[in-house]
Amino acid sequence: MSTGAQTTTLVKTQTTTVVKIGGSTLGSQDTSLQDVVTLHRAGARPVVVHGGGAMITDWLGKMQVESVFVDGLRSTSREALDVVVGVLRGVVNAQLVAELGAVGGRAVGLSGVDGGCVRAERYDERLGYVGRVTGVDGDFVASLLDAGVIPVIAPIGLEAPAQPLNINADTVAGEVARALGADSLVFLTDVDGLLDAEKQLVSEVDAERARALRADGVLTGGMIPKIDACFRAAEVGVRAFIANGTQPGTLRQIATGEAAGTRILG
Ligand SMILES: Nc1ncnc2c1ncn2[C@@H]1O[C@H](COP(=O)(O)OP(=O)(O)OP(=O)(O)O)[C@@H](O)[C@H]1O
Ligand SMILES: [Mg+2]
């Protein structure tokens, strides 16, 4: 599929879309990065936020840094933080920027530390250097879009005055979408979307249904911060979706208004 052909069928658009690329989808033979570049070429303003959970686990192992879990959440020690920052801002971010370049995009990699654009604070000392977002400088991110580049954001926040913190990438994506007043927020992950107890795709979900699925233990783990971020963003009018980033054309389908994955009814 040529990028040029894709561009011609996309309506010219200036919409701002935050695309969260799951670490779970990295390296799979999908078209997400081509789709991001196609959107950008069509006049849209895409912002990429990425995760990297699996790669962090690999590197913590390689570096022989022990993982300590507190209530199912990984605590980030000083040593682990160095690995998290190195892997996310270094390995994963640089690879995504390079791959976007290879398919014709002009991308700039940064983390929430850059320009202090994602402010954060520690919220549970048992979790160590894990942050929650206290604010996002949407104007700073918008200035990169104005400069014609695709920002690619690693989920590391800055606790004043000078402490980087590990933050869940889904949360960062949702808060960036809110701060930008984005038109849409798309979570690309390794499943078709939110699945019910029978593993069937839930094509539309409202807050009540999400609460019920969670209470029933069907909505767990990595899906929880995604759903929370979707509803946070939907509060300010962002259209939010969770879809399969390992399938070709998913982002493009959503951008052109075709049904794909789970749509959040905010
Ligand atoms: N109800 C559910 N429907 C679909 N997936 C679910 C559900 N409950 C839990 N999950 C899990 O959520 C996972 C997706 O979240 P996960 O954090 O693993 O990936 P990601 O966010 O795309 O990647 P990363 O965390 O590296 O950025 C799915 O692979 C699935 O195992
Ligand atoms: Mg995740």
Side-chain angles (χ1 to χ4, degrees), residues 16-106:
T16 300
T17 302
V18 176
V19 182
K20 192 270 177 159
I21 299 191
S24 60
T25 74
L26 292 175
S28 58
Q29 295 304 308
D30 66 76
T31 58
S32 304
L33 300 181
Q34 284 99 311
D35 291 350
V36 167
V37 172
T38 303
L39 282 177
H40 193 229
R41 289 235 175 104
R45 292 158 64 85
V47 175
V48 173
V49 177
H50 64 83
M55 205 170 284
I56 290 168
T57 305
D58 276 3
W59 276 91
L60 287 170
K62 282 189 214 178
M63 308 296 285
Q64 299 186 324
V65 176
E66 206 184 324
S67 288
V68 180
F69 287 85
V70 179
D71 299 338
L73 295 173
R74 185 178 11 224
S75 149
T76 303
S77 63
R78 174 82 248 174
E79 264 188 308
L81 181 70
D82 288 348
V83 176
V84 167
V85 172
V87 171
L88 290 175
R89 181 67 178 96
V91 181
V92 179
N93 192 278
Q95 187 65 41
L96 279 172
V97 169
E99 286 176 15
L100 282 162
V103 291
R106 204 155 149 247

Side-chain angles (χ1 to χ4, degrees), residues 10 15 33 36 39 60 64 81 116 129 140 178 204 228 233 243 255:
L10 263 185
T15 55
L33 300 181
V36 167
L39 282 177
L60 287 170
Q64 299 186 324
L81 181 70
Y129 293 91
F140 179 75
R178 263 178 86 101
E204 292 185 336
D228 286 348

Side-chain angles (χ1 to χ4, degrees), residues 120-244:
E121 65 183 14
R122 277 168 275 191
Y123 63 96
D124 183 341
E125 63 184 26
R126 296 172 311 158
L127 292 179
Y129 293 91
V130 172
R132 71 162 156 232
V133 178
T134 56
V136 172
D137 186 348
D139 290 344
F140 179 75
V141 179
S143 70
L144 296 172
L145 291 166
D146 293 341
V149 299
I150 304 169
V152 179
I153 304 177
I156 301 158
L158 179 65
E159 182 183 64
Q163 180 61 58
L165 296 179
N166 179 17
I167 309 181
N168 182 279
D170 298 337
T171 311
V172 171
E175 296 304 316
V176 167
R178 263 178 86 101
L180 282 170
D183 300 279
S184 58
L185 167 64
V186 181
F187 287 95
L188 294 175
T189 185
D190 62 349
V191 285
D192 286 342
L194 176 63
L195 306 178
D196 66 16
E198 277 75 48
K199 302 274 177 224
Q200 297 300 305
L201 177 68
V202 178
S203 55
E204 292 185 336
V205 67
D206 61 14
E208 199 184 329
R209 177 97 194 269
R211 256 194 305 275
L213 288 169
R214 196 164 164 174
D216 294 345
V218 173
L219 199 176
T220 60
M223 196 51 63
I224 292 175
K226 266 183 247 307
I227 285 285
D228 286 348
C230 283
F231 284 109
R232 277 272 299 163
E235 256 173 38
V236 297
V238 178
R239 293 185 305 126
F241 302 85
I242 301 171
N244 195 335

